[in-house]
Every structure is written in structure tokens, then in C-alpha cells.
Amino acid sequence: NRWSYFAQYYLSSVASGWDALVNSMDAELFRDEVSKYVAVVTLSKYGSNSISAPMYAALFDAKATSYQERLRPGLVSFTLYMIGMLLVFAPGTRIWPMFCRA
């Protein structure tokens, strides 16, 4: 569809400042410790990728015929994401108040 290209182009241009916004918010939230924060985030991403890539490869079935079999990698990804969000919002972890500091 020819409109899908224009819709994708428009939406990506509207959201093009997202990285700059996130970086400025990080700098404001963590001020003197922003370099430590960036280092920890980078290490967390590397660790997450080293776990998720082999897990996705193990869950993916190129010859899957049913919808459930095709959905398996995405469903596991969504489940793990929701567990992460529960950790962020759980009062016992005290992560959410850190985000509300700014």
C-alpha cells in the first residue's frame, strides 16, 4: 500500500526527537551520576541481549503451522516485559519513586 510508506515516514519524523528527550530527562534525573547511569544501562542491555537472543532462537519455530506456535516468542517476550513493569511499580522495590524525583 502506498499510504503505508507515507504513514511510516510521518510517524517516524514526529517521534524523531524521542532519543533527545530521553537523554535530557536522564541527565536531569541523575545529574552528577549520569555517566554511571549510562554505563549501568549499557551493561544491562548487553546482559539482556545475551539472554534474550538465545532464548528467542530456542523458542522460534520457522516451520510452525498454528497461531499458538508462531506466537510463542512474542508471548514470552511480553510476559517478561510485564514482570519487569511489575518490578518497577511494586512498592517494595522503591524504583518508581526514583522516576518521580524529577
Side-chain angles (χ1 to χ4, degrees):
N1 188 353
R2 63 182 176 193
W3 293 106
S4 62
Y5 171 78
F6 294 111
Q8 183 274 335
Y9 181 79
Y10 176 75
L11 291 174
S12 66
S13 65
V14 169
S16 63
W18 180 255
D19 289 335
L21 175 66
V22 169
N23 290 336
S24 65
M25 291 294 292
D26 291 345
E28 180 62 30
L29 278 172
F30 297 103
R31 298 179 189 214
D32 297 335
E33 298 159 348
V34 72
S35 61
K36 289 181 184 178
Y37 170 75
V38 170
V40 168
V41 166
T42 303
L43 287 173
S44 297
K45 287 180 182 179
Y46 287 148
S48 174
N49 287 338
S50 68
I51 294 170
S52 65
M55 184 179 65
Y56 182 82
L59 293 171
F60 181 75
D61 182 10
K63 297 179 181 178
T65 57
S66 71
Y67 182 73
Q68 287 79 16
E69 291 172 345
R70 293 179 183 179
L71 186 65
R72 191 176 346 155
L75 187 60
V76 170
S77 173
F78 179 73
T79 302
L80 293 175
Y81 176 79
M82 291 307 294
I83 291 170
M85 287 297 100
L86 287 173
L87 288 174
V88 167
F89 292 114
T93 61
R94 300 167 74 175
I95 296 174
W96 180 246
M98 181 181 67
F99 287 115
C100 297
R101 203 166 54 172

